[in-house]
C-alpha cells in the first residue's frame, strides 16, 4: 500500500490512500483522510480503514479498472506541486553550498510561478523575449511574447510576410525608363510616343509556421522568463536580473551554466534550481 | 514528420504487466500509462517514428482489433498528441 507522507501537507489537508496491492482499484476506493491541526492523523487507522475499502478481485496483478481505449492510453497523471518550505531563496552558488544562514533580516522570497503570471495582467508579459534577454540570437523565440512562453509546449507561431509582385520597367521611344506599379497607364509625348501598359500587380501574403525549439528548451526558457519577471517585480532580490541573463547567455553559448568554479549545470539542473525559486 | 522521446529524459519508471508508471523529471509530473501508450513510448525510444510506422511495429503486440485501419491511425495520432501535450515526446 502506498501512503503519502503527512509531513508534506498543510494541516487540514486531505490525502488519498491509493491501495495498489492485490486489489482492483475503483474510483470509489479513493478514501479521504483528514489531518488535525498538529498534522497528525486523526483517530482513524489507515490500515483498517483502507482494508474496509478494498474490493478483492482474486487477481494477483495490480490493475486500474477503467473503460474503453483509456485502458491502453494515458490513464492518470499526478501533477507535481511544491511542498511547503521547499522554496529556495539563494543565488545559484548559494544553492550549491547549501548555505542557509542569514545575517540580519531573512531574504525576501516571494517568487511567483508561471501559472501565477498567466492569471495576472502584469504589463511585462507583452515584452518580447529578446527585450528581456538582449543577447538572445534564436529566431524561433526572439520575438515571442513572454506571455506565450509560460505554457509548455508552446503554441506554434505563424509568421506573415507581405510580397509585392515584380514591377515592369519599360523604355519608351524617348529612352526614359518608366516604372509602373499597378493598373495601366499611357504616356504621350508628341506623335511618336508609345502607348504603354503594365500588367495588373497586387501584393500577396504568405505564412509560415516558426518551428518551436525542443521541449526541454521550451521548459528552460519558461523558467528563465518567470525568473526574469520575479526579479523585475522585486519578488526575488537574491536572484538579480543580471544573473538570470548570465545563466541564459552561458547556456546559449555553451549549453550549460557554471554557478561556481568547477560546477556545470545542464538545462535540467538549471530548470531544477529555477523551479525551486518559484512558489 | 516523425515523433521522438524528448532527449535527456531519464525513463524513471516502473511497470506492472501492461501498465507503466513514468516520472517526467522536466515537469515533475507522474503518469500512469496503459499498454498502448507505454509501448509507443518504448518504440519511440528506439528510434523516431510516425503514426503509420508505430502501428506496424505495435501490431504484433496488440489485440486482433488493432489492425491497420483508419480508426487505428486516428487513435495513434490522438495518443501521440496527448503524449506531446504531457511533454513526453516531441517532433524530431
Amino acid at each position: 500500500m502506498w501512503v503519502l507522507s503527512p509531513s508534506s501537507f498543510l494541516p487540514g489537508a486531505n490525502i488519498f490512500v491509493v491501495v495498489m496491492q492485490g486489489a482492483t482499484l475503483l474510483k470509489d476506493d479513493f478514501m479521504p483522510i483528514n489531518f488535525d491541526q498538529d498534522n497528525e492523523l486523526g483517530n482513524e487507522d489507515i490500515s483498517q480503514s483502507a482494508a474496509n475499502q478494498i474490493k478483492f478481485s482474486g487477481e494477483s496483478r495490480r490493475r486500474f479498472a477503467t473503460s474503453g481505449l483509456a485502458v491502453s492510453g494515458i490513464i492518470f497523471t499526478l501533477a507535481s506541486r511544491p511542498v511547503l518550505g521547499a522554496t529556495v531563496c539563494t543565488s545559484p552558488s548559494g544553492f550549491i553550498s547549501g548555505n542557509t544562514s542569514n545575517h540580519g533580516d531573512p531574504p525576501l522570497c516571494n517568487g511567483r510561478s508561471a501559472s501565477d503570471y498567466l492569471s495576472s495582467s502584469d504589463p511585462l508579459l507583452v515584452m518580447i523575449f529578446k527585450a528581456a534577454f538582449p543577447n538572445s540570437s534564436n529566431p524561433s523565440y526572439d520575438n515571442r511574447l513572454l506571455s506565450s512562453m509560460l505554457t509548455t509546449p508552446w503554441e506554434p507561431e505563424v509568421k506573415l510576410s507581405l510580397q509585392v509582385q515584380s514591377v515592369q520597367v519599360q523604355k519608351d521611344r524617348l529612352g526614359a525608363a518608366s516604372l509602373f506599379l499597378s493598373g495601366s497607364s499611357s504616356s504621350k509625348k508628341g506623335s511618336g510616343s508609345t502607348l504603354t501598359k503594365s500588367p495588373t500587380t497586387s501584393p500577396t501574403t504568405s505564412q509560415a509556421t516558426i518551428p518551436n525549439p525542443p521541449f526541454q528548451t521550451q521548459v528552460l526558457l519558461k523558467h528563465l522568463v518567470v525568473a526574469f519577471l520575479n526579479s523585475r517585480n522585486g519578488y526575488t532580490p537574491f536572484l538579480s536580473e543580471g544573473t538570470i541573463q548570465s545563466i541564459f547567455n552561458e547556456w546559449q553559448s555553451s549549453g550549460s551554466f557554471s554557478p561556481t568554479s568547477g560546477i556545470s549545470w545542464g538545462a535540467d539542473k538549471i530548470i531544477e534550481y529555477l523551479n525551486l525559486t518559484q512558489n | 514528420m516523425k515523433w521522438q522521446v524528448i532527449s535527456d529524459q531519464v525513463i524513471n519508471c516502473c511497470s506492472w504487466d501492461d501498465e507503466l508508471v513514468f516520472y517526467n523529471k522536466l515537469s515533475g509530473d507522474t503518469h500512469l500509462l496503459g499498454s498502448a501508450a507505454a509501448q509507443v513510448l518504448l518504440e519511440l525510444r528506439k528510434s523516431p517514428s510516425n503514426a503509420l510506422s508505430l502501428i506496424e511495429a505495435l501490431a504484433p503486440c496488440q489485440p486482433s482489433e488493432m489492425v491497420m485501419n483508419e480508426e487505428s491511425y486516428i487513435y495513434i495520432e490522438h495518443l501521440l498528441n496527448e503524449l506531446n501535450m504531457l511533454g513526453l515526446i516531441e517532433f524530431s
Side-chain angles (χ1 to χ4, degrees):
Chain A
M1 173 169 27
W2 293 356
V3 179
L4 300 175
S5 167
S7 62
S8 300
F9 296 87
L10 291 170
N14 289 331
I15 68 165
F16 296 92
V17 174
V18 179
V19 181
M20 291 190 67
Q21 189 168 8
T24 298
L25 183 71
L26 304 176
K27 284 187 179 179
D28 292 339
D29 289 334
F30 283 97
M31 179 191 67
I33 296 178
N34 291 316
F35 290 97
D36 60 19
Q37 289 299 318
D38 296 324
N39 217 22
E40 298 291 333
L41 289 172
N43 293 326
E44 227 170 3
D45 181 290
I46 290 180
S47 300
Q48 185 60 44
S49 297
N52 292 337
Q53 300 290 325
I54 294 174
K55 291 179 176 60
F56 286 100
S57 67
E59 294 176 354
S60 60
R61 52 188 285 195
R62 302 176 182 87
R63 194 173 181 81
F64 287 89
T66 55
S67 61
L69 289 175
V71 177
S72 57
I74 299 164
I75 301 172
F76 182 76
T77 291
L78 183 64
S80 165
R81 294 290 180 270
V83 295
L84 183 66
T87 305
V88 164
C89 303
T90 63
S91 64
S93 55
F95 179 64
I96 294 172
S97 64
N99 184 9
T100 57
S101 64
N102 293 299
H103 296 285
D105 295 331
L108 182 64
C109 194
N110 285 328
R112 304 292 195 263
S113 66
S115 56
D116 291 332
Y117 282 107
L118 280 172
S119 57
S120 75
S121 56
D122 194 315
L124 293 172
L125 292 174
V126 298
M127 283 177 69
I128 61 173
F129 185 78
K130 194 166 173 68
F133 295 87
N135 288 344
S136 177
S137 57
N138 192 313
S140 65
Y141 48 78
D142 275 354
N143 294 314
R144 263 195 178 264
L145 295 179
L146 297 188
S147 58
S148 74
M149 300 173 76
L150 297 180
T151 304
T152 52
W154 297 343
E155 290 291 333
E157 273 199 337
V158 176
K159 180 180 176 183
L160 292 174
S161 61
L162 184 69
Q163 295 175 339
V164 178
Q165 291 290 352
S166 59
V167 300
Q168 178 179 342
V169 177
Q170 287 191 346
K171 238 182 178 180
D172 64 15
R173 275 191 167 188
L174 298 178
S178 301
L179 190 68
F180 299 94
L181 286 178
S182 64
S184 61
S185 62
S186 61
S187 63
K188 278 188 176 180
K189 282 200 174 178
S191 59
S193 62
T194 302
L195 182 68
T196 58
K197 275 188 181 177
S198 70
T200 302
T201 60
S202 59
T204 60
T205 59
S206 64
Q207 61 181 33
T209 302
I210 302 171
N212 282 334
F215 180 76
Q216 186 187 52
T217 301
Q218 295 177 36
V219 175
L220 171 64
L221 295 178
K222 177 184 84 169
H223 284 86
L224 284 168
V225 166
V226 174
F228 170 84
L229 294 170
N230 282 333
S231 178
R232 271 284 178 105
N233 285 310
Y235 298 144
T236 52
F238 56 87
L239 186 58
S240 69
E241 192 172 313
T243 300
I244 298 165
Q245 289 169 339
S246 295
I247 293 174
F248 170 77
N249 294 340
E250 206 170 316
W251 167 82
Q252 179 177 243
S253 65
S254 66
S256 64
F257 167 69
S258 180
T260 189
S261 175
I263 302 292
S264 178
W265 284 358
D268 55 345
K269 193 65 180 178
I270 298 172
I271 291 170
E272 179 188 344
Y273 165 71
L274 293 176
N275 201 20
L276 290 173
T277 66
Q278 299 153 19
N279 288 325
Chain B
M1 187 90 58
K2 292 185 176 180
W3 294 92
Q4 64 182 14
V5 290
I6 292 173
S7 59
D8 297 335
Q9 275 280 17
V10 176
I11 308 294
N12 296 315
C13 67
C14 296
S15 65
W16 290 269
D17 297 318
D18 55 357
E19 289 160 352
L20 185 76
V21 174
F22 176 84
Y23 172 69
N24 186 338
K25 71 173 190 175
L26 288 181
S27 64
D29 294 340
T30 305
H31 310 282
L32 174 64
L33 308 178
S35 58
Q39 287 167 25
V40 164
L41 270 187
L42 294 175
E43 277 299 317
L44 291 177
R45 278 184 70 194
K46 295 176 189 175
S47 62
S49 188
N50 57 23
L52 282 175
S53 303
L54 282 171
I55 293 175
E56 287 176 9
L58 299 178
C61 312
Q62 293 297 322
S64 57
E65 58 268 22
M66 187 72 164
V67 297
M68 182 77 70
N69 57 26
E70 187 177 346
E71 190 176 331
S72 301
Y73 181 81
I74 293 173
Y75 170 69
I76 289 293
E77 279 283 323
H78 175 73
L79 183 56
L80 290 169
N81 284 323
E82 283 197 321
L83 292 172
N84 179 40
M85 289 305 297
L86 292 177
L88 298 178
I89 64 174
E90 61 182 357
F91 281 121
S92 65

